[in-house]
Amino acid sequence: MTAVRRLFTRTPLAFPVLALLVFLVLGPLGVLVFSSARLTEGTLPFEPESSWTTQNYAEVLSAGTGAIVWNTLVLTVGALVVAFGVSMVLAWLIERTTFPAKKAVFVMVLASLGIPGFISAIAWAFMFNPTNGVVNVFLRDLFNLAGPGPLNIYTMQGMILLEGLRLVPVTFLLLSAAFRAMDATYEDAGAASGASRPLVIRRITIPLLTPAILSAFVYQLAATLESFDIPALIGLRAGIPVLSTKIFVEIQPTGGLPNFGMASAYGLLLIAIVLVPLIFYQRIVARSERYATVSGNTYRARRVVAGWRTKLFGGLFLGLYLLLDLLLPVLILIWTSLQPFYVPPSAEALSRVSLSAYGRLLTDDFVQQALLNTILLGFLAGVATLTLAFTVSWIVVRSRSRLRSSLDFLAFFPHSIPAIVLGLGVALIYLNIRVPIYGTIWILVIALATRYVSLATRQMNTGIGQVQRVLEDAAAASGASPLQAVRRILVPLVTPSLVNAFLLVVLLSVKNLVFPLILSGRDSVVFSSLIWNLWDTGDTAGTAVLSLVMIVITVALAAGVRRVSPT
C-alpha cells in the first residue's frame, strides 16, 4: 500500500474537504494571477480574443497608481488614529475607572455594529453635504455664514473621520479585555513614586498595553486597507480613488466595458499590501507573553475612582461619539424617509411630512423580493459557512490527519484576501465555467462562505477544543459510529459556539455590499445593492426607508450575537 493510499485510508474526509477549500480559496487567486497577464478590454481572460500582455502590470506600476496607493494609506492610517484615539478613551473609562452605568455604556458603544457602513455613509452625506447638509445648514444659521460648508463630507478628512468612527466598536472590543485584565500594581508603584496620573498612563499603562494595541492596530489596518463601503459612497463622488474603488471601477465602469485584466492586477497589488500587516500581526501575537502582567498572588485589578471631572468630560466625550455615530445618522434617515425629496428640517418641510415612501416601497413586489433574497441569502450563507467550518475544525482539532495544518491554513487564508478582490476572482471563475449560477443567489452564497469561513473556523476551533475527546471516545466504546458521536455528543455541547458563529456570519452577509454589487443579477438583488441603486439614482426617500429597514434587521442580528456570546 502506498503512502498516499495509507493517508487516504486514515483520513478519508480530509481529502474532499481539502479539495473544496483549494477550489474555493486558491481558485479565485489563481484566476486573478492568470487574468492579470491577459489583455481583456471588452473580453474575458479565457476567451480567444484575449492575449498575453504585461500592459496591466506596467499601468499598475505607473505614477498614477502611486497617488491611489497614497490615498489608500492616508485614509487607512488616519481612520486608525481616530478609531484608536476614541476606543482607548472609552476602554479606559469603562474598564479602568468607576464610570457610572458601565454595562449600559458598553452596549451603547457596540450598538452601531448593527448599522452597515454604507448606510452610515449615506446618513453622513445627508448631514455634512456642503450645500444642504443638516449640520451645515444649522452652523450657517447659527454663525450667520455665507456660501457652502463650513463642513464637507466629500473630502479626505471627512472620509477619515467617518471611517474611523465606524472602526470604533470592533477596536473597542479588541482593546477592552486587555484594559480590564491589566494589573494595577504597576500603576500604584508609579503613583507612589510621585508621578501624576497622565504621566502614569503615558509611561506605564500604555507601554504595558503595547501588544494589545499593536495587534489590534495591525488587525484593523488590514481590514481598513480593503474598506469599500465608505470609499465607494463618499470617495467616488469626491473624486478620491483608493485601491478598492479602483478595482470596482475597472469591473463596472460608468462607460465602456469591464477590464478584468487591469482589475486583477490592481487586486494582486492590494493583496500584497494587505499581507504585510497580517504577517506583522502574527509576529506580534507570538511575542505577546513578553508583556504579560497577570501573574500569581500579586495580581490585582483595580479601577480608578472617577471624580466629577472624569465623569463630566467622559460623559461629554461619550455623548459626542454616540451623537455622531448612532443618534444623528438614525434621526436624519427617519426625517429623510418622511420627505418626498431631501430637505433640511424646517417649519415649511414639516408640512410635507408623509409616509408615502414607506407605502410605495414596502408594498413594491421588487422590494419584497429583495427582502426575501436578503433573508434567504443570510440563512444560506450561514448554513454553508458553518457546515464547512465545523467540518474543517473537527478535522483540525480532533483527527490525526497530516492534512490538518494545510486545512487550517486554507481556511484562514481568505482573511488575507480583500473582499473586492475575492469577489472579482469568484466572478471570473463562474463567468468562464459552464455552471449557470452567475447572477444568482448561489454565487453570492459561495462568495460569502469563502469569505467568512476563516472567521467561523476560528470560533469552531475554540468551541470544539473546549470539549474533551473522552466524551466521544466513550460514545465510540458504546458502539456509536463517529458520525453519531459527533451528532449526539459534540454538536449539542458546542451549540453556543455554533449559534454565535451562525448569527455573526448571517449579520456580516446581510451587511455585505461588495459581493452583491459584483455578483448579483436582477433576480438576486438584495437590500444592500438595492439601497446602493436607489442612492445612485437620487431617490433619497426610498434610500432612507430601506436603510431604516436594513438597520432594524442588522441591529436585531447584532443583539442576537451579543445575547448568545459568552460574557
Side-chain angles (χ1 to χ4, degrees), residues 194-208:
S196 63
R197 182 178 296 177
L199 184 61
V200 168
I201 292 174
R202 182 165 55 88
R203 299 293 296 273
I204 297 176
T205 305
I206 293 179
L208 286 175

Side-chain angles (χ1 to χ4, degrees), residues 131-349:
T131 56
N132 59 357
V134 171
V135 176
N136 280 317
V137 171
F138 173 77
L139 292 175
R140 288 200 296 265
D141 293 342
L142 181 64
F143 297 105
N144 195 26
L145 301 174
L151 304 176
N152 186 1
I153 184 61
Y154 295 109
T155 61
M156 177 61 78
Q157 292 84 354
M159 292 171 60
I160 285 173
L161 180 58
L162 176 55
E163 187 75 54
L165 291 179
R166 297 304 306 159
L167 292 172
V168 166
V170 173
T171 307
F172 170 79
L173 280 176
L174 293 172
L175 295 176
S176 59
F179 273 82
R180 186 186 314 126
M182 200 184 71
D183 193 347
T185 304
Y186 299 93
E187 294 172 305
D188 292 342
S193 301
S196 63
R197 182 178 296 177
L199 184 61
V200 168
I201 292 174
R202 182 165 55 88
R203 299 293 296 273
I204 297 176
T205 305
I206 293 179
L208 286 175
L209 292 169
T210 295
I213 294 172
L214 279 179
S215 61
F217 186 89
V218 174
Y219 180 87
Q220 290 291 71
L221 175 64
T224 314
L225 281 169
E226 63 161 318
S227 174
F228 175 79
D229 293 18
I230 292 168
L233 268 295
I234 303 299
L236 285 180
R237 293 199 176 193
I240 305 175
V242 296
L243 281 172
S244 61
T245 55
K246 178 63 176 176
I247 296 169
F248 177 72
V249 170
E250 293 291 345
I251 301 171
Q252 294 191 1
T254 53
L257 298 173
N259 190 337
F260 291 108
M262 188 65 65
S264 299
Y266 277 111
L268 293 176
L269 174 62
L270 184 55
I271 289 177
I273 294 174
V274 170
L275 279 176
V276 173
L278 286 177
I279 294 172
F280 188 52
Y281 173 72
Q282 295 297 327
R283 293 185 178 181
I284 292 172
V285 172
R287 300 178 182 179
S288 59
E289 71 279 355
R290 296 168 55 189
Y291 295 86
T293 64
V294 180
S295 55
N297 295 331
T298 61
Y299 169 70
R300 182 162 58 93
R302 179 181 56 79
R303 296 180 184 272
V304 176
V305 176
W308 70 267
R309 289 186 180 86
T310 300
K311 293 178 181 178
L312 174 61
F313 290 107
L316 291 174
F317 186 85
L318 174 66
L320 180 61
Y321 164 71
L322 294 176
L323 184 69
L324 290 175
D325 196 48
L326 186 63
L327 186 58
L328 276 180
V330 172
L331 289 177
I332 194 61
L333 287 174
I334 293 174
W335 168 261
T336 305
S337 71
L338 300 174
Q339 296 291 318
F341 50 88
Y342 172 74
V343 290
S346 66
E348 179 186 357

Side-chain angles (χ1 to χ4, degrees), residues 12 41 69 81 83 91 96 111 158 164 189 198 227 235 238 256 263 275 406-407 414 419 430 479 494 519 527:
E41 294 180 353
V69 173
V81 170
R96 301 293 296 157
S227 174
L275 279 176
S406 299
L407 284 171
Y430 290 96
V494 299
L519 302 172
F527 252 44

